[in-house]
Amino acid sequence: MAGLKQTIIRGGLESLYFSGAHIALRSFVQGVGAILTLHHVRPPRPGRFQPNHILEVTPRFLTRVVNALRRSGVDLISLDEMHRRMTEGDFKRRFVCLTFDDGYRDTLQWTYPILKKAGVPFAIYVPTSFPDRLGELWWLVLEAVIARNTRIGLFIDGRDRKFDCGTVAEKRALFDELYWWLRARPTEKEMRDAVRSLAAYYHVDVAAFCDELCMSWPEIAVLAADPLVTIGAHTVSHPMLTKLSKEAVRSEMDLSRSVIEAALAVRPAHLSYPIGDRSSAAAREFAIAAELGFKTAVTTRPGVLFPEHNQCMTALPRISLNGEYQRLRYVRVLLSGAATAMWNGFRRLDAA
Ligand SMILES: [Zn+2]
């Protein structure tokens, strides 16, 4: 399912680019700016089973994107400056914000040197359980269980199911099936319980992923000390907020802000919703983030920014730099707004 969707997106991007349609549509759809979403930035790794590869781009690609944006004359700005331009209606120049979710160690190792050298501001959204070493990067746990076994069993919908995953093709198919099955669990607890039992049965150490991949508080503090870097909130436990009670949503947002403030002496004014798609963050979450006083909050709903977004600053769309499409021409099409305008049916706001 996810694979099919990616193929359609890629097909759409290629045809938009080669037809030149994005140039024709530009004045209609390009908006006033865009916020880019990134996760990992690191050199490519060997291995054919990398189902989470969409979440990483190479240092070389990031460098090329930054250079291309600079050449194209857009301003690369911080979230605070984006907020100012949006609320004051200052749209003299187009702008792009770079944002990195989850606080991975490669943000310090690879992203920071590139953006520091280029003098480009950026934001990191930190789920506080990750540096607290209590985080569950469940999508990586699932990947590890499937990678290390040729057959796995799982209690699904009231019965024991067995799955073969000896070949790369089987592993990819099984990851997709189980990933979307997990995402569809009615509660976050049910999803986490299923992942925990898989990890326990197949001897995958859940805590090890945080230790290995995520920055510690002292590492985050190095970045937070640089005026180029904005530290944003990304909840405590990185849940799909729509599945929690209203009180729990409020607590996830507010507590994460207080924990970051206690650890780094900076109070985050910006928020990113975990997962961030329609099934993870919607009108209730947008309202709570606004009530709590966040200046901006970002989703992963695809789109560029229009002046009208100043009416819904806690429901902002972003453009994801996807590891499967590391071509500058894709970035140009996405930033033209043409691809996301088609995706959104030419509707500019999507804040419900
Ligand atoms: Zn995240």
Side-chain angles (χ1 to χ4, degrees), residues 37 46 67 70 98 127 168 190 239 321 350:
T37 312
N67 290 341
R70 277 267 158 83
L98 298 185
V168 170
E190 203 177 309
L321 288 195
D350 179 18

Side-chain angles (χ1 to χ4, degrees), residues 266-308:
V266 284
R267 188 165 174 82
H270 306 276
L271 171 77
S272 163
Y273 304 103
I275 315 281
D277 65 352
R278 188 175 299 279
S279 71
S280 315
R284 183 187 65 166
E285 287 68 41
F286 304 154
I288 294 173
E291 274 167 38
L292 288 172
F294 283 102
K295 287 165 76 175
T296 74
V298 294
T299 66
T300 53
R301 297 186 188 194
V304 296
L305 297 180
F306 294 100
E308 299 94 303

